[in-house]
């Protein structure tokens, strides 16, 4: 749509040609005309039109440019709260904190969906309305455009002198010669050209820049495809994660995931049957004075088997370099420490031995975790505590002060209880359910729980001969994210196409040029065709007109149909020169 | 001295020089107060051609036919006057005033060139010191973005005679680099692994270029509102007489925003692809991502507003300025106020 100002100019043209057959100008009307609010038509008629009329009225309103503008604004505003208020999907803990800190606001926010803005009904309503409006706006314009590209360039206005840029001169050439030359030249400049004969004489009518509207339509249509891609993705996507300790493996089946989410149309067959083994994981942290402790390198080495029975191959996995196994992406999204412990029970039997995953709590990997030893006898045992890769005593208690393994410490307290039959109910490996357990007390000070610190290689005897626990080493683990986003391809291609369309829409200059020739008959007298533009077109009153040989008056008029375009005057001047405008009548542009 | 120290030195110096440039331009504006508006407007009609007069009736046309900023009418307002344009009745004093305005302007421009050279040096040395592209944290991104903005301005001022952007641009550059060296500064350090990606380079360069264009567009919109107000009141005085007509400033603002919008679209898309590589998801409604989208939607509003009667002109300009504000908020506010994955500020 051109600007109002522009449309005014277009309208000048339209006034002079009542029977304009094509819809080129109409494309302005489809989105802009009704939306521009200049046309009071629908609002006047609405009340009398009943249900159908009312719906029609609503539809007209919804698909108007003004509504699009309001909805876009609403979208921008509606997106903001989600960046200010914690979102359940992104940071559930922050949401819980928020609710417990704001006793009145919290539940209120919860009710209106402020903790899940981007899936809330009101946010969805805004963008769905916007897209409905978009469809309503774009479909008619596509039709209009389809007609417009096939139509001939618009008829020549009667009075070219009134156009934004106009030139006029007398030529010694035959009218048809001038027109032929004009036609050839305009075609060379990639205008679509039509020859016309009307009351005003013979003329050439030319138009170019059809790609602008095409680009605009492509852009808006591609927005629909972006939404489509996002929707497909939402339905078919899956994503899960699994913590894998160095030396251990993962095979791609639902039971192996720690957490898993998928769209409504996901089927388990989408899980390709690969498996992998984590053979090594290297980490490096900044030890220099600047950004001390910042991550510098993560590199996991994996043995990947595409399907059971196939040979394994070695791959490396780094941040920014995900693995793609048969269409499924494997990302490295986290890492941490797993102290390796050996627990012997009261009878001296090894009741547990192996790495236990501790979860990092801060940037220096102060990690918390639980060691469960259900097989210890006569009492089952459990340990709860912190692992510190670089342990230090701080005013806030024991903490890690550097993320790498410089001073590993394992701080634990212990629990004992009657052995329990396995209920089969899955329980978290990261939290301890203390029902049926009693905390082991410090024998020297029974008011205090028994606490102890292990360094690698150290062994601790538990009070009352409950057994021993030894920290035999520390292993690293990585968190692998496995997933597939099938709709994103559609969305990305649509965005690419959209940007291209947008460039056409914004940078192509639609322009119309007309050239009319008439015999220089009216020598000296006022030109009946040009009653008011004597000084604009100049040549009619030019004494040169009486000179011999000047037989044809050539009028050129041109119009830019887009806002903020330049160079029209120069282009017309250049065209005029090509057509043989004598240098003497050249105007300063 | 190593590269880092030299880089810091030239960056700090650039702030001082930009400040001086800003003062020079402020002096230019201040001294233009005594310009005789009557004498200044005469010239407007001097360059008016017949076709333009027609154009006046059909306003757009003038936007199109009246020519770009490169053309004579716009240029004329900025240049020192050719003798005789309205000079006949203008007192000699006016000439002296104009001379002074012109000198201040030139000084401001020269200082901006020096400040620019210094900040380019600062950014380049920073890159040398770090052994990588110098836009890995907020300090580096800000200083790099300022280089882009001032570069655009220098081209506009040098080639297209748009030196009238001098005051706001030098103000922006002084504030930008000033904040960078005082608040955002961090010493050179290697990148965290999440930033090891070609998309990092592409995304950030695109963001800096489109950001620069949005900023120039926003600055032009501000000037447009000022000039328009003066025009409506019929009180175009002082330095405002040297600005192009409001309508033309509006077109300039539009062009920059229109140039930046597709690039910003690309920036957001590239960022989302990079996020997939680095974090395993394309879009996670991280505050940075959300505000990038909000900024994008605001500029879509801007473009729509220009096509909607009643919103074009003043309202569109206001939306453009809101867009610029949103860009800045995303860039500074989000880094400092919200915790998110994009916390590379290092501040
Ligand atoms: C998802 C929402 C939308 C976005 C992001 C969007 C974006 C844009 C952009 C960036 C432009 C500028 C291109 C240009 O100036 O040529 C534009 C133009 C346009 N849009 Fe939209 N649009 C959206 C929805 C709509 C809707 C719902 C309508 C219908 C009412 C609409 C109608 C138009 C029209 C008629 C133009 C042409 C303006 C002109 O030629 O100057 N758009 N849109």
């Amino acid at each position: 749509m051109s600007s109002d100002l522009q449309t005014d100019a277009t309208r000048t043209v339209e006034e002079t040609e009542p029977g304009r057959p094509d819809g080129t100008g109409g494309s302005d009307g489809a989105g802009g005309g009704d939306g521009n609010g200049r046309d009071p038509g629908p609002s006047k008629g609405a009340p009398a039109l009943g249900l159908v009329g009312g719906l029609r009225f609503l539809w007209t309103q919804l698909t108007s440019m003004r509504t699009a503008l309001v909805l876009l604004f609403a979208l921008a505003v509606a997106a903001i709260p989600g960046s200010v208020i914690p979102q359940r999907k992104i940071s559930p803990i922050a949401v819980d904190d928020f609710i417990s800190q704001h006793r009145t606001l919290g539940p209120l926010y919860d009710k209106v969906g402020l903790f899940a803005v981007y899936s809330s009904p009101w946010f969805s309503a805004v963008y769905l309305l916007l897209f409905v409006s978009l469809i309503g706006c774009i479909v008619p314009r596509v039709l209009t455009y389809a007609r417009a590209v096939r139509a001939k360039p618009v008829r020549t206005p009667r009075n070219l002198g009134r156009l934004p840029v106009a030139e006029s001169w007398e030529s010694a050439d035959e009218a048809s010669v001038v027109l032929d030359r004009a036609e050839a030249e305009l075609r060379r400049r990639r205008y679509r050209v039509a020859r016309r004969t009307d009351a005003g004489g013979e003329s050439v009518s030319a138009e170019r820049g059809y790609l602008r509207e095409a680009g605009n339509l492509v852009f808006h249509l591609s927005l629909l495809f972006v939404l489509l891609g996002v929707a497909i993705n939402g339905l078919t996507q899956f994503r899960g994660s699994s913590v894998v300790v160095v030396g251990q493996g993962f095979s791609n089946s639902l039971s192996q995931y720690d957490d898993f989410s998928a769209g409504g149309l996901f089927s388990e067959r989408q899980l390709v049957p690969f498996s992998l083994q984590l053979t090594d994981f290297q980490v490096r942290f900044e030890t220099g004075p600047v950004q001390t402790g910042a991550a510098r390198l993560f590199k996991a080495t994996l043995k990947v088997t595409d399907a059971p029975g196939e040979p394994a191959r070695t791959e490396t996995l780094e941040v920014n370099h995900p693995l793609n196994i048969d269409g499924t992406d494997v990302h490295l999204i986290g890492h941490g420490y797993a102290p390796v412990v050996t627990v012997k029970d009261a009878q001296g039997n090894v009741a547990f031995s192996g790495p236990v995953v501790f979860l990092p709590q801060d940037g220096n990997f102060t990690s918390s975790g639980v060691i469960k030893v259900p097989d210890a006898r006569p009492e089952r045992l459990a340990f709860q505590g912190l692992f510190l890769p670089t342990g230090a005593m701080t005013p806030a208690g024991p903490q890690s002060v550097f993320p790498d393994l410089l001073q590993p410490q394992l701080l634990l307290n212990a629990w004992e209880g009657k052995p329990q039959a396995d209920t089969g109910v899955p329980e978290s490996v990261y939290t301890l359910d203390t029902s049926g357990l009693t905390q082991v007390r410090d024998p020297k000070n029974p008011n205090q729980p028994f606490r102890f610190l292990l360094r690698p290689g150290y062994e601790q005897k538990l009070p009352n001969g409950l057994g021993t626990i030894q920290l035999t080493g520390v292993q690293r683990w990585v968190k692998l994210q496995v997933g597939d986003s099938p709709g994103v391809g559609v969305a990305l291609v649509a965005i690419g196409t959209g940007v291209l369309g947008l460039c056409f829409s914004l940078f192509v200059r639609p322009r119309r040029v007309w050239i009319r020739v008439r015999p220089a008959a009216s020598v000296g007298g006022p030109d009946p065709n040009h009653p008011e533009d004597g000084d604009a077109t100049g040549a009619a009153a030019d004494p040169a007109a009486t000179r011999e040989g000047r037989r044809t008056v050539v009028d050129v008029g041109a119009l830019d149909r887009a806002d903020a375009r330049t160079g029209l005057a120069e282009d017309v001047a250049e065209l005029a020169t090509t057509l043989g405008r004598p240098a003497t009548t050249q105007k300063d542009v | 001295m190593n590269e880092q120290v030299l880089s810091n030195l030239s960056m700090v110096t650039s702030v001082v020089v930009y400040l001086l440039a800003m003062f020079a331009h402020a002096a230019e504006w201040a001294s233009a107060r005594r310009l005789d508006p009557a004498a200044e407007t005469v010239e407007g009609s001097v360059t008016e051609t017949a076709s333009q007069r027609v154009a006046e009736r059909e306003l757009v046309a003038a936007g199109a036919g009246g020519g770009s900023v490169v053309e004579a009418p716009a240029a004329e307002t900025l240049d020192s006057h050719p003798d005789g344009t309205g000079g006949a009745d203008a007192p000699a004093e006016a000439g002296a005033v104009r001379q002074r305005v012109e000198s201040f302007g030139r000084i401001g421009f020269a200082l901006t060139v020096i400040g620019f050279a210094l900040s380019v040096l600062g950014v380049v040395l920073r890159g040398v010191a770090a052994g990588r592209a110098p836009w890995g944290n907020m300090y580096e991104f800000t200083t790099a973005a300022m280089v882009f903005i001032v570069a655009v301005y220098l081209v506009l001022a040098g080639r297209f005679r748009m030196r009238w952007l001098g005051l706001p641009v030098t103000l922006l550059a002084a504030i930008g680099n000033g904040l960078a060296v005082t608040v955002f500064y961090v010493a050179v350090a290697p990148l965290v692994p999440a930033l090891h990606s070609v998309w990092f380079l592409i995304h950030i360069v695109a963001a800096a270029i489109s950001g620069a264009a949005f900023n120039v567009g926003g600055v032009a919109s501000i000037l447009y509102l000022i000039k328009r107000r003066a025009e409506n009141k019929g009180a175009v005085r002082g330095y405002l007489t040297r600005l192009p007509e409001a309508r033309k400033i509006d077109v300039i603002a539009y062009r920059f925003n229109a140039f930046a919008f597709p690039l910003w679209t690309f920036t957001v898309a590239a960022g989302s692809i990079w996020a997939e590589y680095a974090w395993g998801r394309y879009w996670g409604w991280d505050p940075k991502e959300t505000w990038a989208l909000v900024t994008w939607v605001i500029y879509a509003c801007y473009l729509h507003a220009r096509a909607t009667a009643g919103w074009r002109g003043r309202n569109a300009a206001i939306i453009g300025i809101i867009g610029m504000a949103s860009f800045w908020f995303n860039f500074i506010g989000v880094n400092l106020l919200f915790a998110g994955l994009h916390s590379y500020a290092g501040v």
Side-chain angles (χ1 to χ4, degrees):
Chain A
M1 305 296 99
S2 31
S3 73
D4 217 13
L5 307 167
Q6 189 78 44
T7 330
D8 285 346
T10 319
R11 192 164 298 142
T12 324
V13 177
E14 285 167 344
E15 280 161 9
T16 59
E17 35 172 349
R20 204 164 58 117
D22 64 37
T24 24
S27 67
D28 293 34
D34 44 15
N36 280 344
R38 266 188 268 109
D39 177 11
S43 44
K44 258 189 212 158
L49 287 175
L51 182 65
V52 177
L55 287 177
R56 235 198 146 86
F57 171 72
L58 272 183
W59 180 249
T60 317
Q61 290 301 308
L62 184 62
T63 56
S64 80
M65 193 73 173
R66 194 176 291 271
T67 310
L69 190 57
V70 170
L71 286 172
L72 276 169
F73 245 127
L75 184 66
V77 173
I80 292 175
S83 71
V84 183
I85 299 165
Q87 297 294 293
R88 202 159 257 142
K89 258 214 177 119
I90 304 164
S91 41
I93 299 169
V95 172
D96 292 342
D97 286 352
F98 188 94
I99 293 179
S100 60
Q101 275 165 26
H102 302 81
R103 289 260 160 241
T104 39
L105 269 189
L108 198 73
Y109 279 13
D110 208 2
K111 207 166 264 164
V112 295
L114 278 171
F115 296 123
V117 166
Y118 306 108
S119 51
S120 70
W122 44 272
F123 187 78
S124 313
V126 172
Y127 76 78
L128 288 178
L129 268 180
L130 182 60
F131 276 92
V132 170
S133 162
L134 182 58
I135 293 169
C137 175
I138 223 69
V139 170
R141 283 178 58 202
V142 171
L143 298 179
T144 312
Y145 182 72
R147 260 177 276 128
V149 274
R150 276 181 278 126
K152 280 206 235 167
V154 297
R155 281 165 59 174
T156 313
R158 198 167 47 84
N159 189 347
L160 292 180
R162 283 175 60 186
L163 288 167
V165 173
E167 301 240 2
S168 184
W169 68 90
E170 299 207 350
S171 167
D173 296 318
E174 286 293 339
S176 62
V177 175
V178 175
L179 287 186
D180 285 345
R181 216 183 289 148
E183 200 178 328
E185 175 63 17
L186 285 167
R187 279 195 203 285
R188 197 182 62 76
R189 297 184 184 195
R190 308 216 179 158
Y191 281 81
R192 176 173 304 181
V193 184
R195 272 296 248 284
R196 298 190 181 273
T197 312
D198 56 28
E202 268 195 289
S203 64
V204 164
S205 160
E207 175 155 7
R208 72 151 201 224
Y210 290 80
L211 279 180
R212 176 189 162 89
E213 177 71 359
N216 194 358
L217 294 174
V218 165
F219 169 70
H220 284 87
L221 284 173
S222 75
L223 291 175
L224 291 177
F225 280 92
V226 173
L227 190 72
L228 185 72
V230 171
I232 293 177
N233 192 53
L235 287 173
T236 56
Q237 138 293 343
F238 75 89
R239 182 185 298 162
S241 67
S242 180
V243 167
V244 181
V245 179
V246 175
Q248 299 186 347
F250 168 83
S251 68
N252 193 18
S253 70
L254 277 185
S255 61
Q256 294 247 326
Y257 285 100
D258 299 336
D259 59 73
F260 189 85
S261 70
L265 296 183
F266 167 80
S267 92
E268 217 176 320
R269 268 170 300 161
Q270 277 173 256
L271 296 182
V272 285
F274 70 85
S275 60
L276 49 84
Q277 179 100 25
L278 181 63
T279 52
D280 185 35
F281 180 55
Q282 298 205 344
V283 193
R284 233 184 31 242
F285 296 100
E286 179 66 51
T287 49
V290 179
Q291 295 186 356
T292 313
R296 291 293 172 243
L297 173 86
F298 303 122
K299 190 166 159 190
T301 310
L302 303 169
K303 275 217 174 76
V304 178
T305 314
D306 285 327
E310 290 191 21
R313 59 197 154 85
T314 302
E315 299 270 8
T316 55
L317 178 60
E318 286 176 79
V319 175
N320 265 317
H321 300 278
L323 270 184
N324 188 294
I325 307 173
D326 250 349
T328 296
D329 289 318
V330 179
H331 283 89
L332 175 61
I333 59 165
H335 68 106
Y337 294 100
V340 184
V341 293
T342 300
V343 180
K344 288 185 187 152
D345 62 14
Q347 296 151 3
N349 297 325
V350 174
F352 175 84
S353 178
V356 181
V357 171
F358 274 51
L359 298 181
Q361 307 296 310
D362 63 23
N364 284 327
F365 285 78
T366 301
S367 307
S368 76
V370 173
I371 303 164
K372 298 182 183 178
V373 194
D375 298 334
R377 293 296 178 272
E379 303 286 291
R380 68 181 163 118
L381 296 174
F383 303 88
Q384 190 178 36
L386 294 178
F387 174 76
L388 314 172
T390 302
M393 204 57 199
T394 70
Q399 254 182 356
S400 175
V401 292
F402 190 76
D404 213 346
L405 280 176
L406 300 182
Q407 188 76 255
Q409 298 178 349
L410 183 60
L411 295 152
L412 294 175
N413 51 50
W415 300 72
E416 58 171 326
K418 289 266 161 289
Q420 242 177 357
D422 193 349
T423 54
V425 179
E427 71 181 284
S428 165
V429 294
Y430 303 116
T431 55
L432 185 63
D433 176 6
T434 54
S435 56
L437 293 174
T438 49
Q439 193 159 27
V440 178
R441 299 272 140 194
D442 189 342
K444 283 178 220 143
N445 183 0
N447 295 331
Q448 288 289 321
F450 178 61
R451 288 181 220 264
F452 56 97
L453 185 154
L454 288 174
R455 295 175 201 279
Y458 282 35
E459 190 179 42
Q460 175 73 45
K461 274 204 179 70
L462 299 175
N464 312 326
L466 283 168
T468 60
I469 177 167
Q470 187 186 15
L471 179 62
T472 54
V474 179
Q475 203 44 286
R476 292 179 193 272
W477 56 261
V478 299
K479 189 168 187 179
L480 298 182
Q481 177 186 289
V482 179
D484 190 15
S485 319
V488 168
V490 176
L492 285 181
V493 170
I495 292 174
T497 318
V499 170
L500 206 68
L502 195 56
C503 290
F504 280 110
S505 167
L506 292 169
F507 307 134
V508 166
R509 320 148 156 219
R511 183 170 282 177
R512 287 175 179 167
V513 177
W514 295 274
I515 294 142
R516 190 193 288 285
V517 290
R518 57 195 154 91
S522 52
V523 177
D527 182 343
N529 278 335
H530 297 71
E532 36 176 307
D533 61 1
D535 61 352
T537 52
D542 193 338
T546 56
R547 246 179 268 149
E548 213 178 324
R550 299 280 162 94
R551 277 171 282 152
T552 313
V553 179
V554 184
D555 293 315
V556 178
L559 167 70
D560 264 343
R561 299 186 59 238
D563 209 357
R565 285 294 150 226
T566 55
L568 181 63
E570 292 92 328
D571 280 8
V572 170
E574 210 185 300
L575 177 68
T577 313
T578 318
L579 295 185
R581 178 189 57 187
T584 44
T585 60
Q586 179 154 5
K587 293 193 178 92
D588 52 334
V589 201
Chain B
M1 268 202 272
N2 65 15
E3 286 95 352
Q4 182 174 186
V5 175
L6 279 174
S7 162
N8 297 347
L9 196 67
S10 51
M11 205 55 84
V12 171
T13 318
S14 83
V15 176
V16 176
V17 176
Y18 279 146
L19 272 175
L20 292 176
M22 190 195 84
F23 287 137
H25 283 303
E28 183 190 8
W29 281 60
S31 59
R33 237 181 356 185
R34 291 210 260 124
L35 279 181
D36 179 4
E40 295 295 316
T41 26
V42 173
E43 91 201 271
S45 54
V46 168
T47 54
E48 197 173 56
T49 62
S51 65
Q52 270 181 304
R53 239 169 294 145
V54 177
E56 294 285 270
R57 269 182 279 140
E58 293 156 13
L59 284 159
V60 162
S68 75
V69 276
V70 240
E71 285 168 41
E76 200 67 38
T77 25
L78 307 167
D79 249 4
S80 50
H81 271 286
D83 275 342
T85 34
D89 46 312
E93 192 201 331
V97 170
R98 212 172 283 131
Q99 204 70 50
R100 194 156 40 197
V101 172
E102 182 62 21
S103 327
F104 278 128
R106 290 215 173 129
I107 293 171
F109 186 75
L111 285 169
T112 312
V113 172
I114 298 172
F116 175 71
L118 284 165
S119 70
V120 169
L121 188 69
V123 167
V124 170
L125 286 176
R126 177 89 181 181
V128 173
R132 58 173 168 79
W135 38 76
N137 52 45
M138 206 159 156
Y139 168 78
E140 294 175 354
F141 184 83
T142 312
T143 51
M146 289 305 140
V147 165
F148 281 114
I149 292 180
V150 178
V152 170
Y153 160 69
L154 289 181
V155 172
L156 291 177
R159 292 272 314 275
F160 301 106
R161 307 187 186 217
M162 281 166 66
R163 206 174 67 205
W164 47 269
L165 280 171
L167 179 60
V169 168
T170 48
L171 178 70
L172 193 68
I175 293 177
N177 277 358
L179 277 178
V181 297
T182 52
V183 183
F184 306 153
Y185 183 77
V186 284
V188 164
L191 296 177
V192 297
L195 299 184
H196 290 289
S197 169
V198 270
W199 290 101
F200 160 63
L201 223 97
I202 296 173
H203 170 73
I204 301 215
V205 169
I209 295 175
S210 45
F214 279 143
N215 273 286
V216 176
V219 162
S221 284
I222 294 173
L223 291 179
Y224 163 78
L225 289 180
I226 296 173
K227 175 90 184 201
R228 189 183 115 116
R229 214 174 130 207
E231 278 177 5
N232 286 351
K233 282 201 200 149
V236 181
R237 267 191 222 103
Y239 195 79
L240 293 185
T241 53
R242 313 209 108 205
L243 264 48
E245 292 154 74
R247 164 165 67 67
K248 275 186 194 130
I249 306 180
D250 180 47
V251 167
I252 290 163
Y254 167 75
R255 288 223 190 105
F256 276 95
N257 290 336
F259 165 79
F261 186 79
L263 198 57
W264 182 249
T265 315
F266 172 77
T267 304
V268 177
S272 127
I273 294 173
W274 173 30
E276 153 67 12
Y277 281 107
W279 303 317
R281 89 284 187 292
Y282 288 93
W283 192 267
W285 295 105
D286 185 85
K288 199 87 171 180
E289 293 166 347
T290 305
W291 278 91
L293 187 73
V294 168
T295 306
W296 184 78
V297 172
I298 292 174
Y299 278 103
C301 280
Y302 171 84
L303 293 173
H304 275 205
R306 283 188 56 98
T308 310
W311 281 81
R312 151 179 331 121
R314 195 176 79 101
N315 288 354
I318 291 172
I319 297 176
I321 294 166
I322 295 176
M324 177 171 71
S326 157
F327 179 89
W328 277 94
F329 180 75
N330 192 18
F331 173 47
I332 295 181
V334 169
N335 286 18
L336 300 184
L337 296 181
F338 307 137
L341 287 169
H342 283 84
S343 32
Y344 306 126
V347 203

